[in-house]
Amino acid sequence: MTLTLQHVLIFSVALFSIGAAGACVRRNMLMMLISIQIMFSASVVAMAGFSRWNLLPEGNAATFFIIAIAAAEAAVGLALLLAVFTRCGTLHADEMKLLKD
């Protein structure tokens, strides 16, 4: 069985759906950040699939760029979560009263 573009896109859509559902359902900010990372991974999978299908090396360069952006987003997101946790003592979105102060 060969791996076609349709297989890659179905996997990418499934991965993005899992990430979107996790970001909407979860109330813990760390789990929301992980869900957003899963959605970034879905876009990387789709970009790599299209790059392989078109046989263009530009898609691989864009894929590496997306991975670098996702790594930077994870670093900044974790730093923000650490700052919120030290100030509020929790990472649950429902218990946040930071904007009300």
Side-chain angles (χ1 to χ4, degrees), residues 34-49:
I34 291 171
S35 297
I36 292 170
Q37 288 295 320
I38 290 173
M39 289 190 290
F40 267 127
S41 297
S43 68
V44 168
V45 168
M47 182 71 87

Side-chain angles (χ1 to χ4, degrees), residues 10-50:
I10 289 172
F11 176 69
S12 177
V13 166
L15 202 60
F16 191 86
S17 300
I18 291 169
C24 292
V25 171
R26 297 289 183 151
R27 299 292 9 142
N28 188 346
M29 287 186 173
L30 184 61
M31 296 308 280
M32 288 176 168
L33 182 67
I34 291 171
S35 297
I36 292 170
Q37 288 295 320
I38 290 173
M39 289 190 290
F40 267 127
S41 297
S43 68
V44 168
V45 168
M47 182 71 87
F50 279 120

Side-chain angles (χ1 to χ4, degrees), residues 75-94:
V76 170
L78 286 175
L80 287 172
L81 287 180
L82 183 63
V84 167
F85 182 75
T86 55
R87 180 175 170 140
C88 298
T90 185
L91 288 178
H92 293 286
D94 294 336

Side-chain angles (χ1 to χ4, degrees), residues 43-44 47-52 55-69:
S43 68
V44 168
M47 182 71 87
F50 279 120
S51 173
R52 183 173 177 219
L55 299 175
L56 296 174
E58 292 87 6
N60 291 337
T63 301
F64 289 131
F65 185 68
I66 292 171
I67 291 172
I69 289 174

